[in-house]
């Protein structure tokens, strides 16, 4: 492999000649051979957005000449287009401030800009990183990436499942079935009503995630090293946030207190907590589906699920709730990610949190996994669910908790006697009622009507 020599403050470093990164990137690449988790490309692209915004803002403020600012902006566009992906090799497990990734971006932009200009005019620190520090750029990139992934991946997935659930509510609004609490029989409801509970879970979680997304609009850029804004223009923070908002068409703004922005991850914790709430809801919905479709003959079997693939390597004809299993595993992973994020956020010592890469890696993984799983579950399972009306009617007719309708007429204690007698003797509620001489057959039929109980 052909190599070139570059220098930094520590001396000379050999770098592959076909790579645009510089000495600091190479040192990190060599010193942190930990795991396979590379810095998410979403973070790199977010850096490209903020570096472009910073260059254009510094030009407007008279801190960069136009040729340099425009060339930096052009290179950032190449990064956003994915043309330079191979030049960002660093792993998540690096310095906790993300300094090495910031320098990776600075070096790639500077070297590519010098290629375009045909001369060594752009310096990674003096120009690309002007008025910035890793300590304010990395938190800014985190917020940009988080908002973008929520808006382009998770919210569309939520819209998809909401649309399907709405259709299922309407389709099943007249199907009366047995309710269940504590995994025991309970009073009836319609299948549509049951599904409406699922719908509201998703809808409510979306509302809370959107609130979290709004909190992520505050950007740390302008705080530089410790929050004071040293080496930046007094107007830089506000102006660069406005430029980022313009470039992304999102309502980003400068954070009101940069000391907070550099040391606290509470916005990420808050937003991911709402994402974890959605994961918990999806766990509940998927578990309901697999309980209700269990069997099909020796379980509850009230729902029919799509047959997507053979369920067993030994038992012919077996169908398993595989989509339910996939999304519940994703839910478990999201919950684990939330623990990592919470612990990382607690480590903001003095003026800086140094658990930034692991935090955004877990956040973005949660968004990606949950978005993909919701789409898969919706398209390959939820959309194709149908009611097993025969099974639903069988359970409804044999549900002892229909006796609850008698409470206002004969009292709780007498109703309990009916239920107990029916259960002990294996007879119907009506038969038990008539044996106990508590009501006439006509009175019983008038009162105990499942359709009137939902």
């Amino acid at each position: 492999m052909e190599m070139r020599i570059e220098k930094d403050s520590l001396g000379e470093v050999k770098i592959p000649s076909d790579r645009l990164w510089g000495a600091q990137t190479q040192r990190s690449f060599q010193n942190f051979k930990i795991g396979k988790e590379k810095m998410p490309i979403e973070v790199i692209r977010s850096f490209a957005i903020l570096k472009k915004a910073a260059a254009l803002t510094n030009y407007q403020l008279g801190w960069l000449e136009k040729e340099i600012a425009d060339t930096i902006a052009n290179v950032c566009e190449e990064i956003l287009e994915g043309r330079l992906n191979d030049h960002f090799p660093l792993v998540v497990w690096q310095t906790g401030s993300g300094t090495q990734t910031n320098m990776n971006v600075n070096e790639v932009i500077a070297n590519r800009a010098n290629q375009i200009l045909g001369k060594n005019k752009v310096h990674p620190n003096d120009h690309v990183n002007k008025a910035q520090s890793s300590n304010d750029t990395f938190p800014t990139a985190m917020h940009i990436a988080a908002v973008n992934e929520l808006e382009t991946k998770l919210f569309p997935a939520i819209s998809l499942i909401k649309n399907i659930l709405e259709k299922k509510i309407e389709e099943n609004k007249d199907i009366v079935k047995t309710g269940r609490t504590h995994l025991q029989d309970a009073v009836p409801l319609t299948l549509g009503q049951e599904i409406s509970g699922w719908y509201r879970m998703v809808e409510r979680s979306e509302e809370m995630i959107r609130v979290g997304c709004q909190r992520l609009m505050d950007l740390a850029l302008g705080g530089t090293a410790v929050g004071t804004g040293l080496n930046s223009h007094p107007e830089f923070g506000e102006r660069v946030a406005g430029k980022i908002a313009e470039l992304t068409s999102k309502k980003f703004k400068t954070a009101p207190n940069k000391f907070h922005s550099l040391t606290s991850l509470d916005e990420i914790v808050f937003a991911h907590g709402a994402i974890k709430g959605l994961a918990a809801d999806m766990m509940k919905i998927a578990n309901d589906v697999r309980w209700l479709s269990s069997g099909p003959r020796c379980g509850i079997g009230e729902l029919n699920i799509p047959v997507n693939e053979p369920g067993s390597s030994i038992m012919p004809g077996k169908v398993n709730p595989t989509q339910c299993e996939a999304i519940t595993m994703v839910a478990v992973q999201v919950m684990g990610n939330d623990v990592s994020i919470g612990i990382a956020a607690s480590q903001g010592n003095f003026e800086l949190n140094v658990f930034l890469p692991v935090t955004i890696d877990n956040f973005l993984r949660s968004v990606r996994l949950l978005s993909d799983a919701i789409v898969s579950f919706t398209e390959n399972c939820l959309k194709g669910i149908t009611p097993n009306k025969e099974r639903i009617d069988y359970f409804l007719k044999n549900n002892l908790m229909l006796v609850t309708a008698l409470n206002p007429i004969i009292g709780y204690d007498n109703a309990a006697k009916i239920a107990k007698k029916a259960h002990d003797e294996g007879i119907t509620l009506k038969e038990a009622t008539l044996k106990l001489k508590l009501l006439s057959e006509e009175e019983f039929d008038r009162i105990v009507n499942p359709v009137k109980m939902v």
Side-chain angles (χ1 to χ4, degrees):
M1 179 185 295
E2 188 177 348
M3 307 292 283
R4 73 179 191 275
I5 301 294
E6 285 209 10
K7 295 180 180 179
D8 63 7
S9 59
L10 297 182
E12 294 184 347
V13 181
K14 291 183 179 179
I15 300 171
S17 296
D18 62 345
R19 297 305 175 191
L20 290 170
W21 65 70
Q24 291 197 46
T25 302
Q26 186 65 27
R27 291 188 190 280
S28 177
F29 184 64
Q30 293 171 180
N31 293 336
F32 295 92
K33 295 186 180 298
I34 304 172
K36 297 181 179 179
E37 296 82 7
K38 290 179 65 175
M39 186 62 64
I41 195 63
E42 296 86 357
V43 173
I44 302 301
R45 290 171 183 157
S46 297
F47 261 106
I49 291 168
L50 76 86
K51 294 295 178 181
K52 178 178 180 178
L56 296 177
T57 300
N58 279 321
Y59 164 69
Q60 292 171 351
L61 292 169
W63 281 35
L64 270 185
E65 61 179 273
K66 190 174 191 307
E67 183 182 46
I68 291 177
D70 286 347
T71 308
I72 289 172
N74 290 338
V75 177
C76 289
E77 282 302 313
E78 291 185 357
I79 294 173
L80 290 170
E81 291 167 4
R83 293 163 60 184
L84 303 179
N85 285 357
D86 291 342
H87 301 277
F88 301 101
L90 302 187
V91 295
V92 169
W93 317 109
Q94 53 166 279
T95 176
S97 62
T99 298
Q100 291 152 358
T101 285
N102 181 40
M103 285 308 303
N104 183 194
V105 175
N106 290 334
E107 290 173 343
V108 169
I109 292 174
N111 285 333
R112 176 62 183 140
N114 289 330
Q115 281 185 351
I116 293 171
L117 293 172
K119 52 189 173 182
N120 289 328
K121 189 173 183 178
V122 181
H123 190 279
N125 299 83
D126 296 337
H127 301 117
V128 185
N129 200 59
K130 194 172 194 64
Q132 304 153 61
S133 163
S134 301
N135 298 352
D136 65 348
T137 57
F138 203 94
T140 298
M142 289 171 66
H143 280 209
I144 295 172
V147 169
N148 188 60
E149 292 304 289
L150 287 173
E151 293 191 350
T152 60
K153 287 188 173 67
L154 189 56
F155 292 147
I158 291 173
S159 294
L160 175 66
I161 191 171
K162 283 170 59 181
N163 289 338
I164 295 301
L165 287 173
E166 275 191 310
K167 292 178 182 177
K168 294 298 177 183
I169 292 169
E170 180 63 25
E171 290 171 5
N172 298 286
K173 64 181 180 180
D174 297 323
I175 297 178
V176 181
K177 66 182 292 289
T178 294
R180 295 179 178 87
T181 59
H182 302 269
L183 295 182
Q184 304 294 311
D185 301 342
V187 294
L189 75 169
T190 69
L191 181 55
Q193 289 172 328
E194 189 167 40
I195 295 172
S196 76
W198 302 346
Y199 177 89
R200 180 55 177 159
M201 287 179 187
V202 176
E203 181 180 53
R204 190 61 166 167
S205 283
E206 179 187 20
E207 291 170 2
M208 291 186 282
I209 295 169
R210 287 191 181 278
V211 172
C213 191
Q214 287 303 309
R215 299 293 182 267
L216 293 168
M217 295 295 178
D218 286 1
L219 301 181
L221 206 55
T224 63
V226 296
T228 60
L230 179 68
N231 291 351
S232 72
H233 191 284
E235 298 177 16
F236 179 76
E238 186 171 350
R239 287 203 187 193
V240 76
K243 181 61 69 175
I244 291 171
E246 178 186 324
L247 293 174
T248 60
S249 299
K250 302 183 192 305
K251 296 179 180 179
F252 288 113
K253 61 186 186 299
T254 192
N257 187 304
K258 304 301 189 298
F259 306 103
H260 164 264
S261 298
L262 269 58
T263 195
S264 174
L265 297 177
D266 51 11
E267 293 111 338
I268 289 281
V269 171
F270 182 83
H272 195 273
I275 294 168
K276 180 182 70 173
L278 176 60
D281 286 339
M282 294 311 304
M283 175 77 84
K284 184 262 192 288
I285 293 169
N287 277 335
D288 280 358
V289 169
R290 63 175 165 185
W291 272 104
L292 292 171
S293 63
S294 62
R297 292 187 176 179
C298 301
I300 295 175
E302 290 185 346
L303 294 181
N304 303 311
I305 57 174
V307 179
N308 295 325
E309 64 274 317
S312 172
S313 62
I314 190 173
M315 293 174 280
K318 197 170 192 298
V319 177
N320 291 335
T322 52
Q323 291 293 325
C324 298
E325 292 163 5
I327 199 167
T328 52
M329 285 193 289
V330 165
V332 168
Q333 183 64 57
V334 171
M335 293 172 190
N337 293 345
D338 193 70
V339 173
S340 296
I341 288 172
I343 294 172
S346 72
Q347 302 303 304
N349 298 321
F350 305 119
E351 278 65 61
L352 185 66
N353 182 295
V354 291
F355 285 71
L356 303 182
V358 70
T359 298
I360 191 59
D361 184 57
N362 276 277
F363 188 100
L364 296 177
R365 184 181 294 122
S366 289
V367 174
R368 180 174 61 253
L369 285 174
L370 195 54
S371 301
D372 290 348
I374 288 174
V375 171
S376 181
F377 175 69
T378 302
E379 292 286 0
N380 299 311
C381 181
L382 204 57
K383 184 184 288 187
I385 284 174
T386 57
N388 183 339
K389 295 181 180 179
E390 182 179 352
R391 191 75 166 169
I392 287 172
D393 289 343
Y394 170 80
F395 284 130
L396 185 64
K397 290 173 182 176
N398 288 277
N399 183 3
L400 296 179
M401 291 305 100
L402 296 178
V403 75
T404 305
L406 296 177
N407 285 358
I409 310 301
I410 62 175
Y412 182 95
D413 290 340
N414 281 329
K417 290 178 183 178
I418 293 172
K420 186 176 186 306
K421 188 174 186 63
H423 178 65
D424 290 345
E425 298 182 15
I427 60 178
T428 65
L429 287 174
K430 182 191 287 189
E431 290 170 336
T433 302
L434 296 178
K435 279 190 175 185
L436 291 171
K437 299 181 179 180
L438 289 169
L439 288 172
S440 68
E441 183 175 357
E442 181 182 350
E443 289 172 322
F444 182 92
D445 290 339
R446 177 173 53 82
I447 300 167
V448 184
N449 184 345
V451 174
K452 294 180 179 179
M453 297 172 68
V454 298

